[in-house]
Amino acid sequence: MGKGLALAAFTGVCWAVLAIGLKYALHFSSSGTIVWMRMAWAIVLLTAFFFIKDPKSIGRIFKKTPLMAIGAGTFLAANYFTYMKGLEMTSASNAQIMIQLGPISFLLIGVWIFEEVLQLTQWLGVVIALAGFGLFNWDQLLVSIGQVQNGGSTYLMGNAWLLVGGFVWAVFAAFQKRLIQKHGWKPQELNLIIYALSTVLLAPMANFSELLEFNAYQMFILFLLGLNTLLAYGAFAEANKLAPASYVSLIISCNPLLTIAILKILENMGSNIVSPEPILWRGYLGAALVVAGVSISVSFKKKTRPPPTPA
């Protein structure tokens, strides 16, 4: 399970950096074009991987596409679009916090649907982590109210987009875990189907005329965002295979803290790539509680649910 937790942590790091990169890309591209380019690069790179590894497997994978994989691709495409709209209307660190409805919902799905059993100490860690998220969200709600009072009426609408994005991501993650855990799908083969479907679904959102206007540097930024997508979701799928959903969700839910740290470092360096919103004492206390809660939750071994006693 240790490898699964390490992959979950790697996913969290990728997503922490991704939020900043996406916000920066909005300086020169529309949100629809960005999300489509992310997915397009991801499918190109993963297809190239399979073409080198086993070209015949590509046709075999798509030939036996399960209905649940189509659902997973649809919900992931919805997550990409709603998250990007929310990020466009708010800020990187706020978006990272609000989208955590996804991992928290996935944690509960892991307990209720996948029958993962947590020890009492682990539940304590979950409660501490949730309290931390509550404090941070309270802190950011105050920021949101301030933004609205200052004329930023889109800020709360952006948070609504992010909450929807978090919910649909949890559904995607549950579908993916079910396909890997119960139906024996290999994580990267499943991702190939999901990326392909998401690329098709997101195409109407893209402004393809923009692609002709991008310079080499801007295209490279979009390529890096696509590479980030490939690596993050590749690691997430493997983590879903190797570790309980409750553990994976708690670890990746720490990624906003790294986003905030990076933004603070950039701010202290005088960089204006992305402007972080102010964080009050409640936010910093909440961040500390999140770290403490997650540390407690993942430091104990998961129990296995005993089989039912025959009648």
Side-chain angles (χ1 to χ4, degrees):
M1 188 173 66
K3 183 179 178 181
L5 299 182
L7 288 168
F10 176 78
T11 301
V13 172
C14 287
W15 285 343
V17 176
L18 177 66
I20 300 172
L22 291 174
K23 192 68 176 180
Y24 176 70
L26 283 168
H27 292 164
F28 60 83
S29 177
S30 64
S31 58
T33 302
I34 292 171
V35 294
W36 183 81
M37 285 293 289
R38 280 182 64 194
M39 196 59 74
W41 273 120
I43 187 62
V44 167
L45 293 171
L46 189 56
T47 301
F49 168 78
F50 275 101
F51 186 79
I52 295 172
K53 181 181 178 182
D54 183 9
K56 295 181 180 180
S57 66
I58 298 176
R60 184 176 67 251
I61 291 169
F62 285 101
K63 186 177 181 179
K64 59 177 183 178
T65 299
L67 183 61
M68 192 176 292
I70 296 175
T74 302
F75 279 105
L76 182 61
N79 165 261
Y80 268 45
F81 180 75
T82 52
Y83 176 78
M84 198 67 205
K85 292 296 292 185
L87 180 64
E88 183 179 14
M89 295 179 182
T90 60
S91 64
S93 54
N94 176 80
Q96 287 294 82
I97 292 296
M98 298 305 292
I99 201 67
Q100 296 314 306
L101 173 65
I104 294 300
S105 299
F106 187 45
L107 181 151
L108 298 176
I109 289 173
V111 174
W112 293 335
I113 303 300
F114 296 107
E115 299 185 340
E116 297 170 2
V117 181
L118 303 183
Q119 298 180 32
L120 179 61
T121 306
Q122 291 173 298
W123 275 116
L124 175 61
V126 171
V127 171
I128 293 173
L130 289 174
F133 282 120
L135 273 176
F136 199 101
N137 287 332
W138 181 18
D139 181 84
Q140 292 305 289
L141 178 61
L142 296 179
V143 174
S144 301
I145 294 173
Q147 291 281 348
V148 172
Q149 290 175 343
N150 291 330
S153 58
T154 61
Y155 207 85
L156 290 179
M157 179 60 70
N159 280 341
W161 277 109
L162 292 166
L163 291 177
V164 173
F167 174 76
V168 296
W169 183 89
V171 178
F172 148 76
F175 281 1
Q176 183 190 64
K177 187 167 185 67
R178 175 66 67 178
L179 286 165
I180 293 172
Q181 187 181 70
K182 299 296 184 181
H183 299 277
W185 272 83
K186 295 181 180 179
Q188 303 315 317
E189 291 183 355
L190 182 58
N191 277 346
L192 187 67
I193 297 173
I194 292 172
Y195 294 164
L197 178 60
S198 296
T199 302
V200 173
L201 293 176
L202 290 170
M205 314 297 177
N207 181 359
F208 292 102
S209 62
E210 287 183 326
L211 300 179
L212 301 176
E213 301 173 2
F214 294 152
N215 58 38
Y217 171 74
Q218 292 168 337
M219 286 296 294
F220 181 66
I221 293 297
L222 294 176
F223 167 78
L224 290 179
L225 294 176
L227 180 61
N228 183 293
T229 297
L230 177 70
L231 295 176
Y233 275 96
F236 175 73
E238 295 290 345
N240 244 344
K241 176 183 177 181
L242 299 172
S246 51
Y247 284 19
V248 173
S249 59
L250 277 171
I251 291 177
I252 63 177
S253 65
C254 286
N255 76 79
L257 308 181
L258 182 56
T259 300
I260 294 166
I262 294 173
L263 289 173
K264 283 297 181 183
I265 292 172
L266 291 174
E267 183 181 16
N268 292 335
M269 293 173 59
S271 172
N272 60 355
I273 294 177
V274 178
S275 299
E277 73 278 12
I279 300 175
L280 306 177
W281 66 269
R282 299 176 188 84
Y284 288 112
L285 177 58
L289 289 175
V290 169
V291 173
V294 171
S295 299
I296 292 172
S297 296
V298 301
S299 61
F300 291 86
K301 294 184 178 179
K302 182 177 74 72
K303 293 180 180 179
T304 56
R305 189 182 296 276
T309 302

